[in-house]
Structure formats: C-alpha cells, structure tokens
Amino acid sequence: MSDLNEINMKHENVLHQIQSPDDLRKLSREDLPQLAQELRAFILDSVSSTGGHLSSNLGTVELTIALHYVFTTPDDRLIWDVGHQSYAHKILTGRRELMHTLRKLGGISGFPRRSESIYDTFGTAHSSTSISAAMGMARAFQTKNEKQVAIAVIGDGAMSAGMAFEALNNAGVYTDLPLIVILNDNDMSISPAVGALNRYLARLMSGSFYANTKKGIDSVLSMAPPLREFAKRLEEHAKGMVVPGTIFEEFGFNYIGPIDGHDLDSLVPTLQNVKRLALAGEGPQFLHIVTKKGQGYKLAEADPVLYHGPGKFDPSTGILASTTPAKKTFTQIFGEWMCDQAAVDERLIGITPAMREGSGLVAFEKRFPKRYYDVGIAEQHAVTFAAGLACEGLKPVVAIYSTFLQRGYDQLIHDVALQDLPVVFALDRAGIVGADGATHAGAFDIPFLRCIPNMVIMTPADERECRQLLSTAYSLKHPSAVRYPRGTGVGITPLSNLEVLPVGIAKMERLSQQGAGKRLAILCFGTLLYPAIEVGKNIDATVVNMRFVKPLDEQLLLQMGREYDGFISLEDGVIAGGAGSACAEFLMKSNICKPFLQLGLPDQFIDHGDPGLLMAQCGLDAIGIEKSIRNFFFKPE
C-alpha cells in the first residue's frame, strides 16, 4: 500500500459491507488485508477533503481492524489514548457516512466522544488517560462479576507522561485484572519522541544481538526451509532473554512483543491469545506493537509531522507551500520573539511538553539547542522543571497550550507562584480553537490564573502587542502568563525591538463623544478589541484595551467608574471568574455600583467547528456584541 495511485483507487468490495464491528467479525481472515487497503484509501480521501489528523490514523488501520475483529466491542471496552488515531475506529463503528462532517460545526468530533457513539467508551483528547480509565472499567467488570475486557491503546509519546506510569503501578497490584494495554510504538508523538523510555524502546528493536542472532540462524538454516518457523521462535525467545519488557513486568504486567503492528497475520492471533489470558484471570497484559505513522502514503511516511494535522489538500500532489504571503500567526510571533530574546540574554531557556511545532519552537531549537528542552508529554514536570531553573537564576519560558497548562495546575501554584519565581508561560491556543473542539479550547486560563497570588496575566490585542507583552513578561521578577489565540491576528506588524510595556497600564483606543445620556465604556481583553472598536463607533462608546487582567489598571477604572454610566467587559474566555469579573469586583470594592455587562464564553463547553461561526454563536462577533449591548442598555423599559 505504498503506491499513491493504488491508495486512491476507491475500492468498495469489503468496506461498504461494514456498518458495525459485528459485520467486521463476519469476514474471513483472508478478507482483512483487503479491508485494510480500502480503509486506508478512505481515510486519505476523507481527511484530504475535510482536514484533520492523518499520519496517526494511517498508522493504526491494521490495529483497529484487528481489535474490533478479536474483541466483542462495545462490550469489551476500547479506549484510544489522545484519540487523534481513532478515525478508522469511527469508520468501522457506523460513522463512515458522517466522515465528511468531521470536526465541522454539528458534525462528528475528531476525537472519541461518549455522546457520539456507544463504541466511544471514554472521551479522550488529552494524552495518557487511557490506562487509568481502562483500569477503572476493568475493576468495575470484576465488581459486577462481568466477563469483559478493557483495552487501552496508548502511544509511545503518551507513555512518557507520569499519569500513565501511575496507572501501570496501580494496575499491577491486581493479579487477575482483565486489562490489556497496547503500546503503539511509532517512535513519534507529535514532536520527535524524547526521554529515557523512548530510548529504551528504540534499543528493544535495534539491539545488535537481535540482528546477529537472525543472521546466524539464517546462515545455519539457509538450506533447511522447514526449520525457519523454529528459527523465528528461537529469535523471539532470544529477544526476550536479552531485552525483556522488564520495566512493564516489574509493574506486574505480562509483557508480549514487540510485534509488527501492520501485520494482520501476527496481530489477530496475538490479540486472541492476549484476550484469552486476560479473561482467564492471568492478570494485566501488555502488548507492544510497532507501527509507522503515515503508513501507506509515501508523503506522510516521509514527513509525518507535516501530515500530522493538515488542512484540505490534494492527495495526488500532497501539501503544497502557499505562493501568497500570509499574515504571521501568533505562534510564529512567539517563535521569532524567543529567538530574538535568547540572542540578547543567554539566561533564556525554552521548554515545551512535546509541542515543538505547535508552539513555534522549531527555529529556536535549531539556533539554541542547548537551551531548548522538550520534556515529553509531561506538563507537571515541565512546570516544576522551569521552577528549578528559575531558582538558579535562569529565565525559563514554558511554551504550552492553554488547555494543557490545566494539567500542571498544582505545580503552577505550589512550585512557581508560591515561591514567586520568574517563569514565563506563553499560552498558545487561548480562547476558541475551532476544529479540535472543547478538549483543546483555552477557555479557562484567565479564571484559574487570576486567583493565584503573584501571577501577572497579559492579553495582547494583536501581533505587535503580543511581542511587546512577551518582552514585558520576560522582564518581570514574578511568574507571568501571556495568552494568545490560535491563528492570525489583524495583521499589525510587530516592531523589531524588544520593547517593554508598563505593567498594569491600559490603553484608551477610542473615546466616546457622548456628552449626555448613557455614556458607556467597553473594557477589552485580547483580540476582541478590534470588533469592539467597530461596535464602539456604532454606539459611540469608549473602548479600552485593558492589556492586563492582573494587575488591572485600577487608577483608570476608578476614574471611569466615576464618569461613566455603564460598563461592558469583553473577553474570549469563560465569563465565570474571568477578566470581566475582576473589573466588576474591583468597582464594587471601590463602592462604585454601575450597570455592568460581562461578555465572553458561556458556562458550557464549546463544540468543534469553524472559529468564526463559533464566535458568532457565542455572540462575540461585532454583530453579536452590539446586539447584547443594545439589549442590555438601550432596551425600552
């Protein structure tokens, strides 16, 4: 399946028969390779039309088929860790005809979702949760005296997180637990995999003894073809003796593997054996498979990072570089600032939890490799590691998505803020993220950060201000966060210098001309400043670019509190406990009680879809903002 023309042939000999895993289990073993070929072709055709995760899904086609073929899903619970590798699973579980709606508003999710299908047994999108959840299900089966199995499929990148090892450590205590963990080892998470575990897995497959044993056996038995099966078994036993799955067996798991994750003739019988062991009370099982991201599509195989989460593209030509210059994204602005700041201050250290590309640190790693740390998918460790660096006088910058900082919250409070250490958090993907949906939306960072003492929180309105506020955060002797959205801003070119802005000082963007009547002020936090200016012109309101959530420009708020008749706060985070709440709290504490309208994300999880449509649904486009203000302040009594 490596030839592009072969991939794009629209086979419908087997796949069209599959409406559920029950149909799949009716097929003969001989039909499965053909199904894999058709399924891989369908995924390529589908993702190239909608955008989505490609490399990871091409790599799990055979594994998905084998799992649903062997196990009685959904009675046997199947959990896909991270979940971006579950497209084949969706297609085989009755959602093939909905794949054209993938990640679109009202369509199916790009991740497993319990409300979407009975086959999505656990919602996953943040990594390393599968073993804990599967263990809980397995213990529930035992508590209810049910003969079922829970299967966690986890990648080598996700296995680098502490939570995965916490679950392994706990699961191994129960010697009859009907739990199966499948390590999908593709030597590739999103950024190149790092850490001791990855090196261990690499050694497992590349030891010289393996190669020498195989060569020796081939040489001795080359004239005895009937003994080749014996040779294969001897080689596998040799592997077990030299480099066993010691780390997993010490946790109490029965380790099996590694095996080829694209070989159905190996996968199916191995999974059948593993299932038998799990149901027989032989304890938790650990199966190590080796797969290749982008399998079957040469362009994705050659560059799985580029094809990790592409937009729409032509499969026959692949992803082509744009010929028209595009506005720089906030992520690019951050990456350029990192390089420029590092060039003038050798104390700067860049840290990312396995999101080098997503956080814009590719150029930084190339220019400053000794000052760049990818700690793997280990957000807790990333935060405390940064704290340790800061204790010794270095200046760590943690590049992390807003939604992933949630995973290091205790460390943020206890290890950074409590000790008042100067760690900078560059929070990418703040606000609505679009197609990735609720699991990746950066909706909660303002409330969970602003309640922490010593924190400074900044919300740039555009690209230029993003660079300025990053420089400002870096100059502080306290922990700080600069939050910015996914994608581009309005296109304002950043200045080349490293200008620092005064902390806690807002900027008046538009002054109301209203002399009498209802004089209103719109207090803006972040990129919603620009639709607010448009609204301000329509209703003649003052518009303030607040810039700082903490500390607020209290002097300006006091002055405006005495002069204005009403206030509107505007932010692309949740209203509850957000920046608007901070302003209202301050005014009330100052004994200023004026009508106050808070606009932001509602008290609900925002689904996946086009970001512009989602913002409009939340009433955060210019039309929606103006409508809310008019209804609140100008509605006839």
Side-chain angles (χ1 to χ4, degrees):
M1 259 315 276
S2 59
D3 183 76
L4 182 60
N5 292 327
E6 189 178 0
I7 292 176
N8 282 329
M9 291 175 64
K10 299 206 174 170
H11 302 289
E12 289 202 344
N13 297 324
V14 181
L15 182 59
H16 80 284
Q17 302 175 30
I18 309 299
Q19 300 301 323
S20 75
D22 288 336
D23 298 324
L24 169 61
R25 290 187 278 270
K26 293 174 184 176
L27 298 178
S28 69
R29 283 270 297 274
E30 290 72 25
D31 287 329
L32 299 187
Q34 174 69 15
L35 175 61
Q37 182 173 329
E38 295 177 25
L39 185 54
R40 184 166 276 115
F42 185 90
I43 290 172
L44 177 61
D45 184 62
S46 177
V47 175
S48 66
S49 300
T50 63
H53 292 99
L54 182 62
S55 298
S56 55
N57 284 290
L58 292 177
T60 55
V61 167
E62 288 83 5
L63 174 61
T64 307
I65 291 171
L67 285 168
H68 283 294
Y69 191 74
V70 170
F71 292 94
T72 310
T73 53
D75 293 336
D76 290 327
R77 309 292 197 242
L78 178 57
I79 303 175
W80 295 94
D81 208 296
V82 179
H84 65 306
Q85 56 186 333
S86 63
Y87 291 6
H89 162 80
K90 287 177 179 281
I91 293 165
L92 294 176
T93 55
R95 286 166 279 182
R96 185 179 74 231
E97 300 301 325
L98 295 174
M99 286 298 288
H100 71 281
T101 72
L102 184 74
R103 297 164 27 113
K104 296 178 181 178
L105 186 62
I108 61 174
S109 171
F111 302 97
R113 192 175 188 179
R114 281 173 57 84
S115 62
E116 188 177 291
S117 170
I118 59 172
Y119 294 94
D120 291 359
T121 59
F122 197 79
T124 53
H126 288 192
S127 82
S128 317
T129 61
S130 62
I131 304 176
S132 297
M135 178 190 169
M137 294 174 180
R139 287 299 291 165
F141 298 154
Q142 292 181 312
T143 300
K144 297 186 292 182
N145 294 315
E146 296 174 348
K147 276 290 188 179
Q148 293 163 266
V149 179
I151 310 106
V153 182
I154 184 168
D156 55 334
M159 189 64 86
S160 68
M163 186 174 176
F165 284 91
E166 292 172 14
L168 289 172
N169 183 56
N170 190 204
V173 172
Y174 302 95
T175 56
D176 60 347
L177 191 66
L179 170 67
I180 299 170
V181 175
I182 299 176
L183 173 61
N184 178 21
D185 175 11
N186 51 42
D187 198 35
M188 181 77 195
S189 47
I190 296 175
S191 300
V194 295
L197 175 63
N198 181 259
R199 290 194 297 272
Y200 169 80
L201 296 177
R203 287 198 304 271
L204 192 66
M205 293 303 297
S206 60
S208 60
F209 187 92
Y210 289 359
N212 291 338
T213 299
K214 185 172 183 178
K215 288 179 181 177
I217 292 173
D218 284 344
S219 175
V220 172
L221 302 178
S222 59
M223 301 304 293
L227 297 179
R228 286 192 180 276
E229 181 61 28
F230 171 79
K232 286 183 180 180
R233 293 182 181 181
L234 179 60
E235 181 188 4
E236 291 302 320
H237 283 295
K239 288 179 180 180
M241 287 186 290
V242 178
V243 195
T246 306
I247 187 172
F248 306 112
E249 291 183 346
E250 288 298 321
F251 278 123
F253 282 73
N254 175 40
Y255 173 86
I256 302 165
I259 65 171
D260 184 351
H262 300 299
D263 181 3
L264 284 162
D265 289 334
S266 177
L267 274 174
V268 171
T270 301
L271 286 172
Q272 289 171 334
N273 289 335
V274 170
K275 178 181 179 181
R276 176 181 54 79
L277 290 170
L279 287 173
E282 297 294 328
Q285 307 293 311
F286 193 101
L287 174 61
H288 177 190
I289 71 167
V290 179
T291 62
K292 186 173 186 178
K293 276 200 170 183
Q295 173 74 11
Y297 182 40
K298 289 182 178 179
L299 296 174
E301 289 179 9
D303 194 345
V305 172
L306 179 64
Y307 287 86
H308 169 70
K312 298 178 183 180
F313 68 98
D314 183 346
S316 64
T317 58
I319 299 172
L320 302 176
S322 175
T323 56
T324 58
K327 293 186 293 185
K328 289 183 179 178
T329 65
F330 283 96
T331 302
Q332 290 172 316
I333 298 299
F334 166 72
E336 292 172 358
W337 172 83
M338 280 287 286
C339 291
D340 293 343
Q341 188 71 61
V344 299
D345 190 344
E346 62 184 13
R347 298 175 300 163
L348 187 148
I349 304 293
I351 303 169
T352 179
M355 296 303 296
R356 180 188 64 179
E357 288 77 17
S359 293
L361 289 176
V362 174
F364 179 83
E365 182 199 14
K366 289 180 180 178
R367 288 186 58 184
F368 306 98
K370 294 183 178 180
R371 293 154 65 185
Y372 166 81
Y373 293 91
D374 183 339
V375 300
I377 304 177
E379 293 86 358
Q380 293 172 307
H381 166 58
V383 175
T384 303
F385 172 53
L389 290 167
C391 283
E392 299 304 320
L394 297 180
K395 298 280 287 185
V397 178
V398 180
I400 188 169
Y401 290 7
S402 166
T403 185
F404 297 149
L405 182 58
Q406 295 163 187
R407 311 189 80 185
Y409 192 55
D410 176 65
Q411 290 70 27
L412 175 63
I413 295 175
H414 185 273
D415 300 337
V416 176
L418 182 61
Q419 303 184 97
D420 201 16
L421 295 172
V423 177
V424 176
F425 294 91
L427 302 189
D428 205 327
R429 270 62 167 182
I432 285 176
V433 294
D436 283 336
T439 57
H440 283 59
F444 309 109
D445 55 83
I446 292 178
F448 77 61
L449 287 174
R450 82 171 188 89
C451 64
I452 304 174
N454 297 327
M455 283 296 302
V456 177
I457 309 166
M458 303 169 225
T459 57
D462 53 44
E463 301 91 332
R464 179 177 297 177
E465 199 165 81
C466 185
R467 182 178 171 97
Q468 292 169 322
L469 290 178
L470 285 166
S471 297
T472 304
Y474 188 79
S475 72
L476 300 177
K477 296 181 180 180
H478 309 282
S480 59
V482 181
R483 69 185 306 269
Y484 46 89
R486 182 176 189 173
T488 62
V490 292
I492 296 181
T493 304
L495 302 175
S496 60
N497 60 20
L498 296 168
E499 179 185 6
V500 173
L501 298 179
V503 176
I505 301 300
K507 180 185 178 185
M508 195 76 74
E509 295 286 351
R510 182 187 187 278
L511 190 61
S512 171
Q513 303 301 309
Q514 185 79 36
K518 290 185 178 179
R519 195 176 186 205
L520 303 178
I522 305 176
L523 311 175
C524 297
F525 296 87
T527 55
L528 288 175
L529 172 68
Y530 289 92
I533 291 174
E534 180 182 339
V535 173
K537 292 176 182 177
N538 292 341
I539 64 173
D540 190 26
T542 289
V543 179
V544 184
N545 177 9
M546 294 299 292
R547 287 180 170 166
F548 293 85
V549 176
K550 187 176 183 179
L552 290 167
D553 191 336
E554 295 183 351
Q555 184 176 347
L556 179 63
L557 284 175
L558 279 173
Q559 178 185 342
M560 296 182 71
R562 291 189 289 264
E563 297 176 359
Y564 282 76
D565 301 301
F567 294 88
I568 304 98
S569 64
L570 191 56
E571 58 194 300
D572 62 348
V574 291
I575 294 172
S581 293
C583 295
E585 290 162 12
F586 173 75
L587 290 173
M588 290 186 68
K589 184 178 71 173
S590 304
N591 201 27
I592 297 172
C593 297
K594 300 287 180 71
F596 199 113
L597 172 63
Q598 293 176 236
L599 298 179
L601 299 181
D603 187 21
Q604 64 188 60
F605 291 106
I606 307 301
D607 215 340
H608 53 270
D610 177 80
L613 291 176
L614 294 174
M615 292 293 277
Q617 274 196 347
C618 294
L620 294 178
D621 59 347
I623 294 173
I625 294 167
E626 182 172 346
K627 181 179 179 181
S628 295
I629 294 174
R630 289 189 181 279
N631 286 341
F632 189 86
F633 288 101
F634 301 107
K635 197 170 184 179
E637 297 181 1

